[in-house]
Amino acid sequence: TSLKLHQVDGLNWLAQNALVGRPGALLADDMGLGKTLQAIAFMAWLQDEANAGRRHRTPFLIVAPTGLLGTWRAEIEKHLHDPQLGPLVPAFGARDIETGKASLDAANWRDAGVVLTTYETLRDYHFSFARTRFGLIIFDEIQKLKNPGSQMTRAAKALNAEFTLGM
């Protein structure tokens, strides 16, 4: 998918932040300006950097409200040629509804391209998530972490990421 000029500027800004070693950034454009597409383009850029040997290949984690997980999956599939980011692994709920197997085993995520989870699952299984080094963690609707004393915020702070993107 072609990016609009302001999205290209946003992607370049995110890439520059990553290149200079910043731990993360906040993407706070108004609704409807394409933050999700910019984040997907940034994931693709990071993947290209890993393919070129300039970064380690590690999975990406997207933490979002339950109602947005389907949107993330659909947007990734819409804008990128599969399997550019690698396998997309859902990690929420006690059991995978398709296979009945436990879906929250950190070993399942190490070879993933993108791991999708909810804030509540992150809170409930933060030790499992903290065991994995993620190349990028995206917090969609990051305002859910505004209370520094909440279990969700503490779980988010325990994660291990090369770069964190708040949206």
Side-chain angles (χ1 to χ4, degrees), residues 15-147:
Q16 187 60 33
N17 276 286
L19 288 170
V20 299
R22 290 200 175 103
L26 177 65
L27 194 55
D29 292 344
D30 288 335
M31 263 179 76
L33 292 179
K35 292 182 295 293
T36 302
L37 180 55
Q38 288 176 64
I40 292 169
F42 183 54
M43 286 190 287
W45 178 82
L46 288 170
Q47 190 69 29
D48 288 345
E49 290 289 291
N51 291 341
R54 294 185 288 268
R55 295 183 77 78
H56 296 294
R57 183 180 306 278
T58 52
F60 304 139
L61 175 65
I62 298 172
V63 184
T66 305
L68 295 179
L69 294 178
T71 301
W72 273 99
R73 178 189 293 270
E75 290 293 308
I76 290 169
E77 291 170 357
K78 175 181 174 183
H79 296 295
L80 295 178
H81 296 290
D82 195 40
Q84 178 159 349
L85 298 178
L88 196 129
V89 177
F92 46 89
R95 299 256 173 222
D96 182 319
I97 59 172
E98 295 170 4
T99 66
K101 295 180 183 176
S103 60
L104 299 176
D105 182 357
N108 294 337
W109 309 332
R110 284 183 181 41
D111 296 325
V114 178
V115 178
L116 287 171
T117 197
T118 66
Y119 283 97
E120 293 76 19
T121 303
L122 174 64
R123 177 198 62 211
D124 295 345
Y125 295 91
H126 63 276
F127 288 116
S128 295
F129 285 102
R131 277 185 233 145
T132 301
R133 172 84 171 157
F134 293 100
L136 171 67
I137 299 175
I138 297 173
F139 290 105
D140 195 353
E141 303 290 341
I142 195 169
Q143 70 270 16
K144 289 189 76 119
L145 302 178
K146 67 184 173 187
N147 181 347

